[in-house]
Amino acid sequence: TEITMSGISAMVSPYLAAFELRALPYLPDWWMAAGRAQQLDNWIAVALIGSMLPAALVLLAGVQAPYGRYTSTSWGFLINGKLSWVLQELPSFAMPFGFACATYPSAQTTSCANQLLLVAFCAHYVNRTFIFPLQIRGGKPTPFSVFLMALVFCLTNGWLQARALTVHHTYPDAWLYDPRFGLGLALFAVGMFINIQADHILINLRKPGETGYKIPRGGAFEYVSGANFFGECLEWTGFAIACWNLPAFAFAVSVWCNIGPRAIQHHTWYLSKFDDYPKHRRALIPFLI
């Protein structure tokens, strides 16, 4: 008797479904009510959080991600910094944009709240992918292994956010008036402004032809050493609040785990390098950390 793939699937599916329900009784109702595709994306989001938390501990223990001022050949051969930045960030823009175009018109892509969240997400990555790298003066090369890790993260996160906003979640018009949506987008906008302003300050610290490092001043740098990092953490915290879903939460956690420790490392570096460095500045969060 010929056994087809559909026949095998029909025989196995009931056992898989029963296993899922028995083996994972601790999952919340909203998780179990989702389709299998969304559950898979939820597991990817959980895995993202699970990988970033220990990475944060490693960074807080003193291991420096070897790019920028900490560039090192010990992590592999070096590639052009601007090129690596564009290529690694590109999936974070291309995936949501591509999914939105491919699925339009649908309940998700015609929802006003979904559209606003997609525009916010893509606006950040238009800047990070196409504008910011071209403004960098000089720039140090990046180890290929670091570029590869960043690319994998952007591919994973781009997939999660794109699927969440164009396939899995449909926000009703009432969500536009929910305090979480308004607060989240407000935090996102403030964070994006701080991030872009801080990047502008850093890019213009040195005049053409100058080398070396200087103390950044102005904007949020008056309060924290990692003003650009603080702005981005604020952005994605706001985005997670506005979306109120697991993929956005996983992204926010990943950002804090990745660039939060780097802000602390920068702060320590500044204090050791400049005797006149402002002692009132914190590393990441004004007046706190």
Side-chain angles (χ1 to χ4, degrees), residues 84-232:
S84 67
W85 194 277
V86 171
L87 294 179
Q88 75 191 31
E89 300 290 318
L90 184 59
S92 293
F93 168 77
M95 283 193 170
F97 183 77
F99 267 98
C101 292
T103 58
Y104 186 86
S106 65
Q108 293 82 8
T109 54
T110 55
S111 161
C112 185
N114 285 61
Q115 290 174 346
L116 288 173
L117 293 169
L118 276 168
V119 167
F121 187 86
C122 289
H124 172 90
Y125 279 104
V126 165
N127 176 61
R128 299 308 277 176
T129 306
F130 304 111
I131 299 175
F132 170 73
L134 300 181
Q135 295 176 328
I136 298 174
R137 295 177 181 175
K140 293 186 177 180
T142 301
F144 181 77
S145 60
V146 174
F147 157 73
L148 191 60
M149 287 187 286
L151 177 62
V152 170
F153 174 82
C154 288
L155 282 167
T156 303
N157 187 60
W159 168 271
L160 287 176
Q161 308 310 322
R163 297 271 293 173
L165 294 176
T166 66
V167 178
H168 299 317
H169 296 277
T170 304
Y171 295 94
D173 289 341
W175 188 248
L176 296 170
Y177 308 101
D178 191 289
R180 291 167 291 184
F181 185 76
L183 173 63
L185 284 188
L187 289 175
F188 180 90
V190 172
M192 188 170 182
F193 173 80
I194 292 173
N195 181 247
I196 292 175
Q197 182 190 53
D199 284 341
H200 178 76
I201 291 172
L202 290 173
I203 289 170
N204 291 281
L205 269 181
R206 293 187 293 264
K207 296 178 181 179
E210 285 187 334
T211 59
Y213 289 92
K214 296 182 178 181
I215 299 174
R217 301 184 186 276
F221 279 114
E222 295 302 314
Y223 304 96
V224 292
S225 298
N228 50 334
F229 302 134
F230 169 63
E232 192 154 355

Side-chain angles (χ1 to χ4, degrees), residues 233-254:
C233 287
L234 193 62
E235 268 188 88
W236 298 121
T237 298
F239 186 77
I241 294 172
C243 291
W244 208 253
N245 62 40
L246 180 58
F249 173 75
F251 184 25
V253 171
S254 299

